[in-house]
Amino acid sequence: MGNILEVKNVSKYFGDFTAVKDVDFVVEEGGFFSILGSSGCGKTTLLRMIAGFQHESEGDILIRGKSMKGIPPEKRPVNIVFQTLALFPMMNVYENVAFGLQRKKMSKPEIEALVNEMLSRVGLNGFETKNVTELSGGQRQRVAIARSLVMKPEILLLDEPLGALDRKLREHMKVELKLLQKEIGTTFIYITHDQSEALVMSDKIAVMHQGVFEQIATPRDLYRNPKTAFVAGFVGDSNRFEITQSNAEQLITEGGWKINKAHEGAKLLFIRPEALILNPSKGGENIETFSVTIKTILFDGSNTKLSTTVDDSSSGEELLISLPQNAEFENLKEGDSILVGIHKDDLKSY
Amino acid sequence: MSMERKGFNVTFYLLIIPVLLWLFILIVLPHIDLFVSSFQVEADDGKKVFSFDNYLAFFKQQIYWLTFVKTAAYAIGVTILAFVITFPIAFYLTKVTSKKNASFLILLLLIPLWVGELVTVYGWMVLLGDHGIINHLLMSVGIIDKPMNMLYTNFSMIIGLLYMSMLFMVVPVMSTLESLDDSLIEAASDLGASKFTIFRRIIIPYAMPGIVSGAIIVFMLVIGDYLAPNILGGKSSLWFTEQIYNQFLQTFNWNQGAAFGFLLLMLSSGIIWVALKLSGQKLDKVGS
Amino acid sequence: MIMKKVLLGAIALALTSSVMAQETLKIITWKGYAPKALVKEFEKETGIKVKVTYSNNEEMVAKLRATRGAGFDLAQPSQDRITAVQKKYKIYQPIDYGKVKTDQLITSMLDAVKKNTGVDGKGYGVPHVYGTTGMIVNKKNAPDAKDWSDLWNPKYKGKISYRLKRPLLIATAFGMGEDPFALYGDKAAYQKLIDKVEKKLIETKPLVKNYWTSGDTQVEIIKSGDADVISGWDAKGWSVHKTNPDIDFIAPKSGALGWIDTFAIPAKAKNIEGAYKWINFMMRPKNGAAITNASNYGTASKGAPEFLDAAIKADFERSFTKEDIDNIKWHPPVPDGFEAIEAKALDRIKSAK
Ligand SMILES: Nc1ncnc2c1ncn2[C@@H]1O[C@H](COP(=O)(O)OP(=O)(O)OP(=O)(O)O)[C@@H](O)[C@H]1O
Ligand SMILES: [Mg+2]
């Protein structure tokens, strides 16, 4: 499959301020592409440039190989689901969804068929004559998506569409959206600041930070092999250590903990809690072992963690370790000293 | 359940009675006397007797009802004009220009309110007269060689009426537009709507409550105005208010004047009611 | 420090209570009839505080009628507007001419006003100021405009203006060679005359530029050049003449309309003594002249001419020959019901095309 969207070295300046800097990526046809970044990093600005509401200061945006320069929003083969949803309050559900089709000068029966099909697809049949102000958050969400999808866009842009929902509903909609995208096969570009949304739904994720794309990768790749310190810190939980010295064999942390990893000039080390192995069986060649003392057990079901201090660290640097909930570790308690191992590849230094 | 209802009712009445009393004293009471006198005529011996004659006179004598019809037609026209002229202004002030510019321009719009109607009416006289500033300018530039007859015409009257009432359309429309989320406009254009469609399908319906309350105020102000028609309006601009004024102050026929006053109130309320029905608006939504 | 505060408080209290206790005189009158300087002088002389409300004939009657003659201590209606109103609404009280220094007044004028404001043998007015309604003409553009009939002379098409009120109906009648005042005793005949006048004014309406509505609009329309031949008040015409010598007041050949504004005391006046004091104060020759010098209106004060400015005399002499003066038509009291006849005619003229 080809690339439906190419964003070529796009930058956007607001006066002196750089909102988007030299962003370059492609999106495959039918893909679910997420842009993940914290608030204010330039996600919406980038999306608005693709939709045509803002003009790139530099670079070019191509859809199916055609430059979008000078093409107004209403003429672009993309549709957008706004951060605020932007449902038309003066219209009911049916009218909202039909609005775009009416602009295409379709016949009434045609419109009716398409709208009804779309409404049943998002599970809203029977709601046609309801006013959009009378709907629940999740229902409004679906109307907004239906309104855009019924236009059969080449690309659907979604700007944090789940942002306004409560956590439960968000979890639910996450899965639903992903399934919907699979089913209809439209290319989605999805903006979020919630890494779990991005990881669950996407084929590809771009991590954005202060206007710059730090890394573009599959969710697994992103999680396993963060390319920059920012990505390592931003995606998933990590233990973070400042490296003060490094030589040909070792990294030495602030607290004097020596780790056998060769990376001269490294400044930071990240270790994921779940990458740590309790009581590793001896002999693994690429396994680094060290002992820690348990400070406290943070019980949280499947997400339970041990808060420990590294014994070798003179300042007692903290290390969080995931604790599998099985009988093996049931009698661990505070104050116990325990041996911990980690695969060398899981020591991420930058 | 019934107990609860009762309790609710008592507090409800406790709260509402002072309000009603207040409204009664301030608004109803002063008009009772007038209302009663509108149903009285003076008999030959000078005694007051009950009669519908004052109201019947309105319908029987062409000059009275025709004047009202004319006044109402002009008021409707001015209201529509006020909307057509001020809606783009309100839109510009709320959605296009910066906040700072907007507040300055709003101050400009307030000027007619500050200086008062009489002064603005005289201002228009100076501008529009045969030897006024506009004619002078146009003639010195050479666009015209004889003064245009603008003052003392329907044109100058409408200008004067518009000028004093415009603000009352701008403000409610602006306050509704202010709450219009820009992304609604963007969403519509994203869905392929032209600028015109966005105006017709999104912006105007959204601003409708403001437009309706603005229109009611402007209509009432214009139909009840006295100065602009009287001074700027020219020799045939008999306004219904002038007939009320004449009944009170020239003929000393207060009974007839009072009847005309109530007719003005009832008929103009009736026109508003019909207009609301026709446009499918509800009064309780207006102004919220 | 505390002493000082107590002292200040005491003074303040004394002041406010003295203000509250102070005698006041409430006058409802025309603009220019109670100038600030004279009010100050009167207050100083008598210790009476004067409160002035500006108005006109119609509003004066309406206000007094609404309160049945209360709220004011002194009013200044025109002499022809008193009897009918008094008979019907009883808003004034008879004048005690013994309390008026009649030797300050022009005798003939006092006698006329006494008669014209009489109800049941009692007089209700004291003359104060008089003037005439005639025409104000731009002599450069309309040198031949001489009479009321020029208000419908096609020669001045589009340059004519007048106030569409009852004096204009009267003036039109005179201009058509009739004598409306002679018909005041015969309602039916008067109705006929007014019908005739109405027809004339509707027929000739296309000649009219606009109807002026107040002293200010009257001045504005002739001064701006929008009109050349208008009905107008002598004092206004003379004041425009000062800035534009082409414009002047003229006494129409068929007779200028004379009016006299009076002092009248409302039925429920509180400060009757103060009202008489004010009347006698205002009619002193010097004070009478002061009003005339400031406003150009004539005064009923007998000794005033001695204090008049030369320019004022010149104005009068320019506009009025001896004949014109003799020909002034003084408004007699308006009979009851006549105003309704006139109002209907006025409405129809105004709404005509
Ligand atoms: N029209 C504008 N003029 C000036 N600065 C702007 C404009 N639009 C956005 N910015 C700035 O650009 C930066 C990026 O904004 P943007 O809306 O793209 O952020 P975002 O990543 O969508 O954030 P959020 O997750 O909070 O929605 C912000 O610092 C914002 O203040
Ligand atoms: Mg955003």
Side-chain angles (χ1 to χ4, degrees):
Chain A
M1 267 190 226
N3 292 330
I4 191 160
L5 173 73
E6 291 169 72
V7 173
K8 289 191 165 163
N9 301 92
V10 163
S11 297
K12 175 74 188 175
Y13 310 112
F14 294 114
D16 295 343
F17 179 75
T18 306
V20 174
K21 183 156 171 50
D22 208 18
V23 164
D24 195 276
F25 66 99
V26 297
V27 177
E28 271 182 21
E29 174 126 39
F32 195 123
F33 188 93
S34 289
I35 300 170
L36 172 64
S38 49
S39 182
C41 72
K43 306 181 295 287
T44 298
T45 307
L46 178 58
L47 204 70
R48 289 169 60 81
M49 287 191 282
I50 299 171
F53 293 118
Q54 240 146 17
H55 303 293
E56 52 275 17
S57 313
E58 281 163 18
D60 198 1
I61 293 169
L62 290 84
I63 296 177
R64 288 205 191 284
K66 185 167 174 272
S67 170
M68 288 292 117
K69 272 216 162 46
I71 299 185
E74 62 267 27
K75 300 259 166 64
R76 298 194 181 192
V78 303
N79 283 106
I80 184 164
V81 177
F82 286 85
Q83 204 160 357
T84 52
L85 300 185
L87 297 181
F88 304 133
M90 65 296 274
M91 304 179 196
N92 62 24
V93 170
Y94 181 90
E95 291 165 333
N96 261 279
V97 178
F99 183 86
L101 299 176
Q102 285 162 353
R103 307 282 80 74
K104 287 185 174 175
K105 305 253 155 25
M106 287 183 174
S107 72
K108 267 211 167 124
E110 254 179 304
I111 293 177
E112 206 174 316
L114 285 171
V115 172
N116 286 336
E117 187 207 325
M118 188 49 69
L119 283 178
S120 63
R121 180 157 264 167
V122 297
L124 278 179
N125 30 10
F127 286 83
E128 287 83 354
T129 56
K130 273 222 162 171
N131 199 300
V132 291
T133 50
E134 297 163 5
L135 299 179
S136 75
Q139 289 164 339
R140 294 162 56 81
Q141 192 63 61
R142 283 179 242 213
V143 176
I145 291 168
R147 186 178 70 177
S148 292
L149 273 182
V150 80
M151 300 296 288
K152 302 223 159 63
E154 305 264 358
I155 306 169
L156 182 67
L157 308 170
L158 302 103
D159 190 353
E160 304 198 30
L162 307 185
L165 306 183
D166 63 55
R167 215 179 63 86
K168 254 276 176 51
L169 194 56
R170 206 154 63 212
E171 294 297 315
H172 175 73
M173 289 297 295
K174 212 149 78 175
V175 180
E176 226 174 67
L177 252 184
K178 173 74 185 166
L179 291 175
L180 185 69
Q181 192 263 339
K182 271 245 152 72
E183 203 182 306
I184 55 175
T186 305
T187 310
F188 275 31
I189 298 183
Y190 186 94
I191 281 188
T192 180
H193 63 259
D194 181 319
Q195 46 160 309
S196 132
E197 276 175 28
L199 293 171
V200 168
M201 295 192 277
S202 320
D203 303 324
K204 276 254 174 76
I205 300 175
V207 177
M208 195 170 185
H209 179 48
Q210 295 183 345
V212 176
F213 272 13
E214 296 264 335
Q215 184 174 4
I216 306 173
T218 60
R220 174 178 300 274
D221 217 18
L222 196 68
Y223 191 82
R224 302 279 306 171
N225 299 308
K227 229 167 62 187
T228 65
F230 174 80
V231 178
F234 189 70
V235 180
D237 296 329
S238 272
N239 293 290
R240 181 175 179 276
F241 297 92
E242 309 252 352
I243 306 298
T244 48
Q245 291 175 44
S246 57
N247 55 40
E249 282 116 35
Q250 285 184 317
L251 304 172
I252 303 167
T253 69
E254 257 179 323
W257 177 32
K258 298 188 179 66
I259 302 129
N260 292 322
K261 181 175 183 197
H263 185 175
E264 265 182 285
K267 289 274 176 298
L268 288 168
L269 174 70
F270 292 90
I271 301 171
R272 297 220 185 268
E274 67 273 19
L276 293 157
I277 310 153
L278 293 172
N279 294 327
S281 46
K282 287 269 156 71
E285 199 178 302
N286 275 326
I287 304 282
E288 174 85 349
T289 57
F290 51 93
S291 70
V292 298
T293 305
I294 298 174
K295 261 197 336 195
T296 175
I297 300 168
L298 306 165
F299 183 80
D300 183 13
S302 65
N303 203 14
T304 299
K305 292 199 172 68
L306 293 176
S307 168
T308 68
T309 51
V310 178
D311 290 350
D312 286 349
S313 169
S314 58
S315 61
E317 278 158 297
E318 201 183 317
L319 184 71
L320 282 176
I321 304 168
S322 287
L323 183 64
Q325 285 303 292
N326 50 40
E328 192 184 347
F329 303 109
E330 221 164 39
N331 40 22
L332 284 179
K333 54 185 192 300
E334 289 173 23
D336 288 356
S337 191
I338 180 172
L339 194 68
V340 177
I342 184 164
H343 199 278
K344 282 238 170 76
D345 287 348
D346 287 333
L347 292 166
K348 305 289 182 192
S349 56
Y350 301 91
Chain B
M1 188 59 205
S2 65
M3 278 298 286
E4 237 178 270
R5 262 226 111 81
K6 220 170 179 178
F8 164 79
N9 276 346
V10 170
T11 32
F12 177 74
Y13 284 119
L14 275 179
L15 284 172
I16 199 77
I17 280 174
V19 177
L20 288 179
L21 210 65
W22 203 231
L23 285 177
F24 180 79
I25 291 171
L26 276 179
I27 297 174
V28 181
L29 207 57
H31 293 116
I32 287 182
D33 193 37
L34 275 182
F35 188 68
V36 170
S37 72
S38 76
F39 286 102
Q40 291 175 333
V41 292
E42 221 164 277
D44 288 338
D45 57 1
K47 288 234 169 60
K48 306 266 181 196
V49 292
F50 178 86
S51 162
F52 286 112
D53 284 359
N54 297 321
Y55 288 91
L56 290 178
F58 174 84
F59 297 100
K60 274 193 202 145
Q61 301 206 22
Q62 190 201 22
I63 185 145
Y64 296 143
W65 62 257
L66 201 60
T67 304
F68 179 83
V69 168
K70 213 184 87 182
T71 307
Y74 271 106
I76 292 170
V78 169
T79 307
I80 293 170
L81 269 179
F83 165 71
V84 170
I85 292 171
T86 60
F87 196 82
I89 298 176
F91 187 77
Y92 177 82
L93 288 177
T94 40
K95 292 292 162 199
V96 184
T97 191
S98 70
K99 274 254 146 46
K100 220 173 81 197
N101 280 346
S103 39
F104 173 71
L105 290 169
I106 290 165
L107 282 188
L108 280 187
L109 279 175
L110 280 171
I111 287 178
L113 212 63
W114 275 338
V115 296
E117 199 191 349
L118 193 61
V119 176
T120 60
V121 160
Y122 278 94
W124 283 113
M125 287 172 69
V126 172
L127 272 175
L128 297 175
D130 285 1
H131 299 80
I133 294 171
I134 291 178
N135 270 320
H136 184 81
L137 273 179
L138 289 179
M139 290 208 299
S140 62
V141 175
I143 296 175
I144 50 174
D145 50 26
K146 246 173 58 194
M148 276 194 297
N149 187 18
M150 294 182 288
L151 187 59
Y152 310 128
T153 61
N154 286 335
F155 170 76
S156 57
M157 175 179 79
I158 287 172
I159 295 260
L161 290 169
L162 271 177
Y163 189 64
M164 65 137 208
S165 61
M166 235 166 45
L167 185 73
F168 297 92
M169 181 67 91
V170 171
V171 169
V173 170
M174 274 182 68
S175 73
T176 47
L177 283 180
E178 223 136 55
S179 67
L180 171 67
D181 186 354
D182 288 351
S183 62
L184 285 188
I185 297 171
E186 288 181 348
S189 108
D190 185 60
L191 292 169
S194 64
K195 296 229 152 50
F196 175 74
T197 309
I198 294 175
F199 244 83
R200 199 174 56 87
R201 292 287 312 271
I202 309 293
I203 296 172
I204 296 205
Y206 191 90
M208 209 49 174
I211 294 170
V212 171
S213 49
I216 291 176
I217 302 171
V218 169
F219 175 77
M220 282 304 215
L221 274 179
V222 169
I223 207 170
D225 193 39
Y226 180 75
L227 279 175
N230 207 20
I231 298 183
L232 294 175
K235 49 191 183 177
S236 298
S237 67
L238 187 57
W239 216 242
F240 194 64
T241 46
E242 197 179 332
Q243 286 194 331
I244 299 179
Y245 181 92
N246 287 346
Q247 290 300 338
F248 273 97
L249 294 176
Q250 237 145 46
T251 328
F252 305 121
N253 190 346
W254 287 20
N255 306 319
Q256 185 68 69
F260 281 0
F262 282 102
L263 278 166
L264 175 63
L265 183 69
M266 288 184 296
L267 290 173
S268 49
S269 305
I271 291 173
I272 289 171
W273 184 80
V274 170
L276 285 176
K277 281 274 157 227
L278 287 181
S279 69
Q281 293 291 316
K282 290 207 182 67
L283 197 60
D284 55 2
K285 278 205 179 149
V286 169
S288 61
Chain C
M1 192 58 195
I2 288 173
M3 273 305 287
K4 212 168 161 188
K5 265 192 189 161
V6 171
L7 210 67
L8 278 175
I11 291 171
L13 202 73
L15 274 177
T16 45
S17 57
S18 85
V19 166
M20 274 159 63
Q22 200 182 12
E23 203 179 332
T24 60
L25 181 68
K26 291 186 191 157
I27 305 177
I28 182 162
T29 184
W30 304 73
K31 259 196 188 137
Y33 283 16
K36 275 225 171 68
L38 289 184
V39 167
K40 281 239 175 70
E41 200 186 318
F42 179 78
E43 286 179 340
K44 221 170 107 197
E45 197 179 298
T46 60
I48 299 174
K49 178 112 186 70
V50 179
K51 281 189 189 151
V52 180
T53 306
Y54 295 121
S55 188
N56 58 41
N57 268 327
E58 289 81 13
E59 279 177 22
M60 238 179 259
V61 174
K63 277 190 176 149
L64 289 172
R65 189 182 154 190
T67 58
R68 296 177 177 85
F72 296 100
D73 301 309
L74 192 61
Q76 295 214 255
S78 297
Q79 58 134 2
D80 55 313
R81 300 300 192 96
I82 294 179
T83 47
V85 168
Q86 175 60 20
K87 276 184 196 149
K88 222 162 153 183
Y89 308 124
K90 313 228 174 339
I91 57 178
Y92 299 115
Q93 51 181 285
I95 295 286
D96 179 352
Y97 289 97
K99 286 186 177 157
V100 180
K101 289 187 186 160
T102 46
D103 54 334
Q104 291 186 21
L105 302 171
I106 297 172
T107 317
S108 63
M109 209 172 277
L110 175 65
D111 291 343
V113 166
K114 247 192 209 171
K115 193 179 130 237
N116 285 340
T117 63
V119 177
D120 299 334
K122 285 177 193 137
Y124 283 80
V126 177
H128 177 209
V129 164
Y130 69 91
T132 60
T133 301
M135 288 156 71
I136 304 174
V137 172
N138 187 322
K139 289 196 163 158
K140 208 172 87 193
N141 299 338
D144 302 329
K146 291 271 187 300
D147 189 23
W148 292 120
S149 56
D150 286 310
L151 289 178
W152 56 88
N153 186 340
K155 224 160 97 183
Y156 308 119
K157 183 171 194 304
K159 289 290 181 185
I160 293 166
S161 177
Y162 40 79
R163 183 161 90 135
L164 194 62
K165 290 278 133 99
R166 71 176 305 265
L168 199 272
L169 300 178
I170 308 274
T172 304
F174 278 117
M176 292 166 80
E178 307 272 358
D179 183 356
F181 295 159
L183 302 178
Y184 268 21
D186 182 350
K187 203 165 174 178
Y190 190 74
Q191 174 77 61
K192 255 205 188 123
L193 174 60
I194 292 297
D195 288 346
K196 213 169 122 191
V197 166
E198 177 188 326
K199 203 166 147 244
K200 178 94 199 164
L201 290 176
I202 289 178
E203 262 168 32
T204 58
K205 189 169 175 177
L207 305 175
V208 177
K209 173 77 183 173
N210 189 38
Y211 303 131
W212 56 262
T213 52
S214 67
D216 292 336
T217 47
Q218 164 192 169
V219 167
E220 175 63 30
I221 198 163
I222 186 105
K223 221 161 116 180
S224 66
D226 287 349
D228 290 331
V229 181
I230 71 171
S231 74
W233 303 330
D234 48 14
K236 290 288 176 196
W238 291 327
S239 81
V240 179
H241 181 76
K242 281 196 193 104
T243 56
N244 183 350
D246 289 339
I247 297 171
D248 205 355
F249 177 82
I250 62 162
K253 283 297 139 234
S254 52
L257 305 179
W259 47 262
I260 303 173
D261 286 345
T262 66
F263 294 107
I265 302 180
K268 294 184 186 161
K270 288 226 179 73
N271 191 353
I272 297 172
E273 288 315 307
Y276 283 110
K277 275 186 199 161
W278 175 261
I279 294 172
N280 291 330
F281 172 81
M282 288 305 284
M283 295 324 287
R284 287 180 197 164
K286 232 175 145 168
N287 296 346
I291 301 261
T292 302
N293 285 334
S295 67
N296 258 332
Y297 297 124
T299 176
S301 169
K302 196 191 277 173
E306 192 186 330
F307 300 96
L308 287 181
D309 295 347
I312 304 278
K313 278 189 201 146
D315 280 337
F316 194 82
E317 278 157 16
R318 216 175 46 247
S319 299
F320 288 93
T321 61
K322 172 84 185 48
E323 255 172 24
D324 290 334
I325 296 173
D326 291 341
N327 200 22
I328 293 177
K329 317 285 187 195
W330 298 97
H331 281 288
V334 186
D336 185 28
F338 276 41
E339 269 148 334
I341 296 176
E342 293 156 358
K344 289 223 170 86
L346 291 170
D347 271 352
R348 282 190 293 262
I349 298 167
K350 174 97 191 241
S351 67
K353 277 273 162 275

